[in-house]
Amino acid sequence: MTTRGVSAPGTESSGASDVPLAPPLRIGPVVVDPPVLQAPMAGFTNYAYRQIVRELGGAGLLATEMISARGFVYREARDGELPDRLWGVRDEPRPLAVQIWDNDPDMLAAVGQRLAQEFRVSVVDINFGCPVRNIAQRARSGSYLLREPERVGQLVARVVEACRPTPVTAKIRLGCTRDTINAIDVAQAVEDAGAAAITVHGRTAQDMFRGSADWQRIAQIKPHLRRMPLIGNGDLTTAAEVVEAFRRYGTDGVMIGRAALGRPWLFRQIQAALAGQPIPPDLTPAQERELLMHHYQLLVQRFGPTRATVLMRRYACRYALGRPGARMFRTYVSEVRTPEEFREVVLRYFPGQALSADSLSKRR
Ligand SMILES: Cc1cc2nc3c(=O)[nH]c(=O)nc-3n(C[C@H](O)[C@H](O)[C@H](O)COP(=O)(O)O)c2cc1C
């Protein structure tokens, strides 16, 4: 999204009264304040990342990675174990949305009900947007289902019924292809099925991540909804862009994904901008490295040093993104295998000033 001429007041003057630019969003009984959601992202938005986002503040609703309903059921039956992606879900603070995917109503309903009743999650979200081959083509789930709005409605209705009173939401793309954009039909089917909100990523499945998110198309859905809140998603990277999105496109909420992977403090910047307050500065390189090491420790506690080191490579690259020297850092950090190598590479090559030995040892 491009930004033009943004000042950042938190209210829009409309005649006699000042109307908040982005009032809290309601998803059933859940109040999302500010109406800025952290996007579900497979491979990234696990408990450690969510904890970082929570500590930094400013996101109104956090979400897990997408979880296969079938995988959940089969794994539990076979090994008596829950999916790794449920790490933290039982105990972490609310509000929290858990996203599930499948094309089978019984699977989705069974897992949705477990999440609602046993795990007491705030929101059960269903994925109808994933374009990845294994999910869309092979498993005929995610964005594959967009070609059949009626079926999407049936799936949502089953899950709504199974999860009641926990709210159920859906996340979609504009359609399967540029020639078959049908987000209005799908959104209406989702609303008629009793969903409590819908998120629309302004691309088609065919687009994958090419081009830019089409916010005009997202905005066009709004007049076709009776009561269900609309959350817009795609390409928002700064607080100013979010302010502009609320002003221009009239969605009830926005969802932020990639931009907050390396800058999880983006949410608090957005929160301040929406409230008309001064925007907190970006973290300095030294603060960012501290955060990175804290993030690493959360992963080590869960997965042990070896697996955590491998997992942390991808986050470390995101943290460095956009800083001079990021490329060299990425080259080195992509190879690390042990905690010692990881710390060494962060100390030497993370873009910005070197950490003091003292601050590193504190994190050990
Ligand atoms: C690595 C990665 C993993 C993703 N995983 C999911 C997922 O599990 N569920 C989902 O609904 N969307 C997923 N998405 C899509 C994002 O939620 C979001 O819709 C998309 O990135 C556009 O928003 P952004 O421009 O703010 O990143 C993923 C995106 C990325 C880049």
Side-chain angles (χ1 to χ4, degrees):
M1 221 190 88
T2 52
T3 312
R4 281 173 227 103
V6 173
S7 53
T11 57
E12 296 289 87
S13 195
S14 71
S17 64
D18 278 340
V19 180
L21 182 61
L25 157 69
R26 282 180 186 273
I27 300 182
V30 179
V31 178
V32 180
D33 183 15
V36 178
L37 292 80
Q38 170 245 298
M41 277 180 288
F44 285 96
T45 61
N46 60 20
Y47 170 76
Y49 176 75
R50 297 195 298 273
Q51 186 55 25
I52 295 282
V53 169
R54 215 176 274 119
E55 286 172 13
L56 290 165
L61 181 63
L62 277 57
T64 63
E65 310 161 82
M66 61 182 173
I67 293 171
S68 157
R70 212 166 293 234
F72 183 129
V73 171
Y74 289 168
R75 180 161 185 198
E76 196 176 33
R78 197 190 57 212
D79 311 328
E81 280 178 24
L82 292 168
D84 276 351
R85 289 182 177 182
L86 282 176
W87 173 30
V89 165
R90 217 182 267 277
D91 300 317
E92 69 187 278
R94 290 349 186 202
L96 175 69
V98 176
Q99 191 187 62
I100 53 178
W101 67 270
D102 209 291
N103 62 8
D104 181 87
D106 294 333
M107 289 286 175
L108 284 171
V111 172
Q113 191 166 60
R114 290 276 305 277
L115 292 168
Q117 294 180 358
E118 186 187 322
F119 288 77
R120 303 211 160 272
V121 305
S122 320
V123 174
V124 174
D125 185 54
I126 312 174
N127 182 313
F128 296 109
C130 184
V132 171
R133 173 179 283 276
N134 274 350
I135 287 161
Q137 280 97 321
R138 294 231 177 95
R140 299 195 165 188
S141 300
S143 65
Y144 178 90
L145 296 163
L146 293 176
R147 66 197 73 211
E148 293 177 76
E150 210 175 301
R151 189 163 167 215
V152 168
Q154 287 161 2
L155 291 170
V156 172
R158 272 299 296 283
V159 182
V160 167
E161 178 141 328
C163 295
R164 212 183 303 274
T166 301
V168 173
T169 57
K171 184 162 177 284
I172 69 170
R173 286 190 175 221
L174 294 175
C176 288
T177 67
R178 283 265 134 200
D179 299 330
T180 59
I181 286 179
N182 63 349
I184 293 173
D185 291 345
V186 176
Q188 286 180 326
V190 167
E191 179 167 46
D192 290 345
I198 189 163
T199 303
V200 183
H201 175 189
R203 289 186 174 82
T204 67
Q206 182 186 43
D207 293 335
M208 300 295 279
F209 278 92
R210 284 184 292 272
S212 39
D214 189 340
W215 277 78
Q216 301 283 359
R217 292 271 192 184
I218 297 174
Q220 283 165 12
I221 300 167
K222 182 72 187 158
H224 295 272
L225 301 177
R226 296 186 310 277
R227 52 144 195 97
M228 183 177 68
L230 172 66
I231 298 154
N233 168 240
D235 297 353
L236 297 174
T237 61
T238 65
E241 285 177 4
V242 170
V243 169
E244 172 143 316
F246 275 111
R247 277 205 185 130
R248 291 180 64 183
Y249 301 111
T251 59
D252 302 288
V254 300
M255 179 180 273
I256 314 283
R258 291 164 296 169
L261 285 179
R263 288 182 295 137
W265 58 89
L266 177 59
F267 293 105
R268 73 178 182 200
Q269 294 180 325
I270 294 169
Q271 184 178 36
L274 290 175
Q277 292 163 0
I279 297 176
D282 283 330
L283 297 198
T284 63
Q287 289 169 326
E288 213 178 317
R289 270 186 315 237
E290 289 286 325
L291 187 67
L292 187 152
M293 296 309 287
H294 174 41
H295 194 154
Y296 180 53
Q297 280 312 318
L298 290 169
L299 290 174
V300 170
Q301 280 160 25
R302 164 76 185 188
F303 297 110
T306 307
R307 195 163 156 215
T309 304
V310 173
L311 277 174
M312 195 61 204
R313 292 173 186 166
R314 69 177 75 136
Y315 293 101
C317 293
R318 295 279 177 168
Y319 278 105
L321 209 68
R323 293 196 182 277
R327 214 158 148 194
M328 188 197 282
F329 176 70
R330 201 167 60 227
T331 308
Y332 285 109
V333 88
S334 306
E335 308 267 301
V336 296
R337 298 195 171 278
T338 64
E340 293 69 31
E341 285 172 11
F342 180 71
R343 287 195 190 91
E344 177 74 11
V345 165
V346 170
L347 183 64
R348 273 179 194 267
Y349 299 110
F350 189 81
Q353 287 175 358
L355 276 179
S356 68
D358 183 44
S359 73
L360 270 183
S361 63
K362 269 193 230 144
R363 293 279 180 212
R364 268 178 202 155

